[in-house]
Amino acid sequence: MINTLLVFKDEVFKKNTIEALKAFYLDQVKVITIPTLQEAIEHLEINKSGYDLIVFEQRSNSITLSKVLYSLGNGAKFISCDDVQSDTSILPEDYIIESIALLSIPVELPKIIKKFEALGYLVPITGIKDEYISVKPEIMVSYCPLNYNVFIKMGDGRFVRLFNKGDPIEKADFERYQKEKGIELFYFKKSEYQEVLEKTASKLERITNTVPLPEAVVIQEAIKSHAIVKDFIQQVGFTSEAQLLARSSVAMTAKLMGSHPKLSKILSDLKKKDGNYVSSHSISLGTLSCAIAHKLEWNSAATYFKLSLAAFIHDITLSDKLAKINHLSQANKEEFTSEEINKIKLHPIHGADYVRRMSAIPADVDQIVFQHHEQPDGSGFPRGLVGKFVSPLSSVFIIAHAIIEFMIKREGESIETFLKENEELYRHGNFRKIWLALKTDTK
């Protein structure tokens, strides 16, 4: 669902815009209309859940208010429908804005939306009825015994109930249907699955309050909750239920890092992770980033939360295949389509957008996500920053990311080898301090 805010005082232009949006998206667009920029600003100050798209009427006397609107967009993409040239100089580089003439709305608005979709900025939900949510078998097994009805999708598009609420279903039952019947997806009713997310979040909160924290259980539940949130976002969006589960998972893992597990144990555990790559990688990256921060004596609960949340979100828009690409040079056109390469290039921007939509989140988490593929020598993306322009926590995150890649590709090699081979790369800015801290205590 594309959540859209329209800001139009002129009824004719408002009508033209609504008709153009609904003709393009049919039932996949939710439109909120507000008559003036001032009222829209007040609305966004109160309602921080975020929009995918903000389309507004801009007149020559409303440029100042437009600038305030941009600052409150919280990850939205803007389309100004105006009689003046839009001033975008106040926007950060990761903001996207397009301008069209008021009289050209019916023709030009669909073109811009198609452009946004091609770039991956807007992703409508297609191919599944709104009433149902698909769930992979490996996630389904965690819901036994069942508290909800489970459905399968037939070849003609009908949904048929497979298991009833309360049935004594076990992991083997789902595995049997997957193996013998070739069923790759099971389905919950959408209304019930939102409750599943809320109950899963409550479960994580109970684990968080356990003393002492069971480390193995924390990591297992964090990986599972990440997979749940990732699937849910792709089908429904980053709803309040998905955000609640993400926050609960991050709070649980951040508290675990507060007990300061040994860096050597975390590194050895990286080799044991299996299953969903994006989810296991994200949780590993969060724990390793926090361990490095502790070694730097940046060991506040707030720091652990920031790094854990950044890790949870950073690759959540990517498939396993695309998430394994850490440098654009790896994504040569022989193996990846131009669309896939574009998704890789843009995912730091999309991840930062998701962070901005969350309420009560530290301001610099989106920066960590936005910068997580930058490199100290300027060879990274999306902005090609050099070391001195990369924030301290982003630098920790980037080095942790590089260590994980090294451990996967160079199995059996030591961290001493990693540090020696990368001394030249990490000898500047905030990276140097991290490199030295690791080098002084590789045990």
Side-chain angles (χ1 to χ4, degrees):
M1 186 67 68
I2 302 298
N3 293 314
T4 305
L5 176 65
L6 298 189
V7 188
F8 282 90
K9 191 172 184 178
D10 188 293
E11 289 295 326
V12 174
F13 291 133
K14 180 173 73 173
K15 180 182 177 182
N16 289 344
T17 305
I18 293 174
E19 289 178 351
L21 284 168
K22 291 192 172 180
F24 190 88
Y25 280 123
L26 298 178
D27 59 346
Q28 292 295 327
V29 61
K30 179 181 179 181
V31 178
I32 302 294
T33 61
I34 292 179
T36 68
L37 285 170
Q38 182 61 54
E39 290 173 276
I41 289 168
E42 294 171 358
H43 169 77
L44 291 174
E45 287 176 334
I46 297 172
N47 300 278
K48 299 185 183 300
S49 58
Y51 289 91
D52 301 297
L53 185 64
I54 297 178
V55 186
F56 65 98
E57 176 184 357
Q58 179 173 286
R59 302 285 183 171
S60 56
N61 61 351
S62 63
I63 293 176
T64 301
L65 287 175
S66 299
K67 291 181 179 181
V68 178
L69 187 74
Y70 296 149
S71 67
L72 296 170
N74 205 21
K77 304 300 174 279
F78 296 91
I79 300 176
S80 68
C81 305
D82 47 32
D83 59 359
V84 294
Q85 182 65 40
S86 294
D87 177 12
T88 62
S89 61
I90 52 87
L91 290 177
E93 290 187 26
D94 56 318
Y95 276 57
I96 304 298
I97 182 170
E98 291 282 349
S99 300
I100 56 178
L102 283 164
L103 295 175
S104 302
I105 290 174
V107 175
E108 296 299 324
L109 184 60
K111 292 181 182 178
I112 292 177
I113 292 175
K114 285 182 180 178
K115 176 181 176 181
F116 281 171
E117 285 192 351
L119 291 171
Y121 296 137
L122 296 176
V123 184
I125 308 305
T126 57
I128 180 171
K129 293 184 179 180
D130 281 348
E131 189 180 358
Y132 296 91
I133 297 293
S134 65
V135 182
K136 296 176 181 177
E138 58 266 28
I139 297 177
M140 284 297 308
V141 299
S142 64
Y143 297 134
C144 298
L146 288 176
N147 291 315
Y148 305 93
N149 298 319
V150 176
F151 299 79
I152 56 173
K153 188 176 183 180
M154 307 302 289
D156 58 4
R158 291 181 300 112
F159 289 85
V160 177
R161 186 180 301 178
L162 180 64
F163 299 123
N164 293 311
K165 176 180 179 180
D167 283 350
I169 302 302
E170 299 178 352
K171 176 181 179 180
D173 294 297
F174 289 107
E175 292 175 342
R176 176 169 54 85
Y177 272 92
Q178 183 183 18
K179 182 178 180 180
E180 298 179 6
K181 306 292 185 180
I183 296 177
E184 296 297 331
L185 292 172
F186 298 89
Y187 294 84
F188 281 117
K189 284 287 187 73
K190 179 178 175 180
S191 58
E192 293 183 334
Y193 200 62
Q194 291 172 332
E195 184 179 336
V196 171
L197 265 65
E198 292 172 352
K199 287 188 174 181
T200 304
S202 297
K203 178 183 178 181
L204 299 189
E205 290 170 7
R206 289 195 297 272
I207 294 173
T208 304
N209 293 325
T210 303
V211 180
L213 270 176
E215 182 175 341
V217 173
V218 168
I219 299 302
Q220 179 184 0
E221 291 295 330
I223 292 173
K224 183 177 73 177
S225 63
H226 185 280
I228 293 171
V229 171
K230 186 175 185 296
D231 276 355
F232 189 83
I233 286 175
Q234 290 175 348
Q235 298 178 73
V236 179
F238 203 27
T239 65
S240 58
E241 295 87 0
Q243 292 180 34
L244 173 63
L245 181 52
R247 272 194 296 266
S248 299
S249 177
V250 169
M252 179 180 65
T253 53
K255 185 176 180 181
L256 173 65
M257 297 315 299
S259 64
H260 309 144
K262 292 182 179 180
L263 178 55
S264 58
K265 184 177 187 306
I266 291 173
L267 290 173
S268 64
D269 285 348
L270 292 179
K271 301 175 183 179
K272 302 175 185 177
K273 297 286 193 302
D274 54 12
N276 184 299
Y277 173 81
V278 171
S279 297
S280 60
H281 163 75
S282 297
I283 303 308
S284 296
L285 179 57
T287 55
L288 182 55
S289 297
C290 290
I292 294 174
H294 174 65
K295 189 170 286 292
L296 291 163
E297 298 185 355
W298 300 348
N299 49 10
S300 69
T303 295
Y304 296 149
F305 183 86
K306 291 175 184 180
L307 291 168
S308 298
L309 178 58
F312 193 98
I313 297 295
H314 82 291
D315 276 350
I316 208 161
T317 63
L318 295 181
S319 65
D320 283 359
K321 174 187 174 183
L322 300 186
K324 292 178 181 178
I325 300 301
N326 296 309
H327 307 280
L328 291 179
S329 59
Q330 296 173 279
N332 61 73
K333 293 186 179 180
E334 293 180 6
E335 298 180 8
F336 295 91
T337 65
S338 58
E339 181 181 359
E340 287 175 326
I341 292 173
N342 208 44
K343 285 182 179 179
I344 295 169
K345 288 180 180 178
L346 295 173
H347 83 272
I349 298 174
H350 296 160
D353 283 348
Y354 277 129
V355 173
R356 293 191 194 102
R357 295 183 191 186
M358 301 179 73
S359 59
I361 295 301
D364 49 351
V365 177
D366 62 329
Q367 184 181 50
I368 300 172
V369 176
F370 185 66
Q371 293 182 350
H372 80 270
H373 274 297
E374 301 292 352
Q375 292 294 317
D377 62 359
S379 64
F381 64 94
R383 293 178 62 187
L385 300 176
V386 294
K388 66 180 180 180
F389 295 113
V390 178
S391 76
L393 287 183
S394 297
S395 301
V396 168
F397 199 86
I398 290 165
I399 288 184
H401 203 283
I403 291 174
I404 288 178
E405 182 184 17
F406 177 86
M407 297 289 287
I408 292 173
K409 293 184 176 180
R410 305 273 294 274
E411 187 173 358
E413 294 276 11
S414 66
I415 192 172
E416 289 95 330
T417 303
F418 169 83
L419 294 170
K420 183 178 180 179
E421 291 181 358
N422 291 281
E423 180 176 5
E424 182 65 23
L425 179 63
Y426 296 130
R427 67 188 180 91
H428 297 297
N430 296 309
F431 294 92
R432 177 68 175 175
K433 182 176 182 179
I434 301 164
W435 182 87
L436 286 172
L438 293 173
K439 189 175 186 299
T440 56
D441 185 14
T442 57
K443 302 300 182 185

